[in-house]
Amino acid sequence: MTSNNHFPADHPAVNIGKVGVLLVNLGTPDAPDRKSVKRYLKQFLSDKRVVEIPQLVWQPILRGIILNTRPQKSAEAYKLVWTEDGSPLAAYTRHQSDKLTERLKDTTVDWAMRYGNPDIASRLNAMKENGCDRILVAPLYPQHSGATTASVHDAVFDALKGMRWQPALRTLPPYHDDPAYIDALAINLKAQLAELDFTPDAVIASFHGMPLRTLELGDPYHCHCRKTARLLSEKMDMELTVSFQSRFGSAKWLEPATDATLQAMPAKGMKNIAIFAPGFSSDCLETLEELAMQGKEQFEEAGGEKFAYLPCLNDSAASMDMLETLLRRELSGWI
């Protein structure tokens, strides 16, 4: 008879004692085709954190109109930015994970997407099976929003519901005003501006937009974006024009809108501009296609002359230094 204090002799050994870090970004379709994009959009736009409309109202619109019209157009846009490594967002997040693995030798570093693959639940399970009984989940969103950071937390804790043996968890706080983040942005911005063959009349910091209603409901995102821009402006000793991109639907969104800002600048005498996206940890569809391609076209059609899109932090040295600093701080006591 087996003692109540011991496992049966044939019970598999439990792998424990490791510390893990799970990087999480927004998500991407598996391929730049209609079927993959439709599957991705269905998951993304069904998240109640992303679309805060009663499901009885929203789901017929999503399934009857949006998922029958938008996937093909979005697939064409993804084709414009797709690389040999696949989606830019997934590729950069994977590179960040690989480089952090080299830097954080006493931890297991992995990555996941909130929507699409690899999904959060599968990576958490894999880390637990690999012996990680303490895991730091790091949503790569500097500015906190219910639609981004909180949604990642939802998925993480949903995954834990199915585990009898749950790892201890920590989550990376928003880092919109962290000196390490502001320093990384300043290093990146200064280097890229120095490489331009013109002096911009204006430098635009374009953040992803959110419905105005989210601000009115108490979401800190707008305030976090404004603080990031203010601190970076002070660090660089230069004026930044703040705008918000990616409007969707008929609701009122955070303003000023990036497209409207670009179209208005030439008439104000600002015909040479540079634009960057400090809220995105990695380049993706919204930066490479919406800003670098559509934004350039909108600006030039309005009379603009010189336009430069400045890439995100991605897996640059400044980015990796920042992430290592933030993660080591949050892992304190574990490693």
Side-chain angles (χ1 to χ4, degrees), residues 175-198:
Y175 49 96
H176 62 287
D177 58 354
D178 195 289
Y181 168 60
I182 301 301
D183 286 348
L185 290 177
I187 291 169
N188 202 46
L189 183 58
K190 183 178 180 180
Q192 294 184 96
L193 288 174
E195 293 177 356
L196 298 181
D197 61 359
F198 67 95

Side-chain angles (χ1 to χ4, degrees), residues 142-177:
Q143 298 80 21
H144 180 101
S145 171
T148 54
T149 312
S151 181
V152 168
H153 295 167
D154 290 346
V156 167
F157 289 109
D158 281 346
L160 261 63
K161 289 179 183 178
M163 298 180 184
R164 183 171 295 277
W165 189 344
Q166 298 172 325
L169 278 186
R170 292 178 180 175
T171 58
L172 180 68
Y175 49 96
H176 62 287
D177 58 354

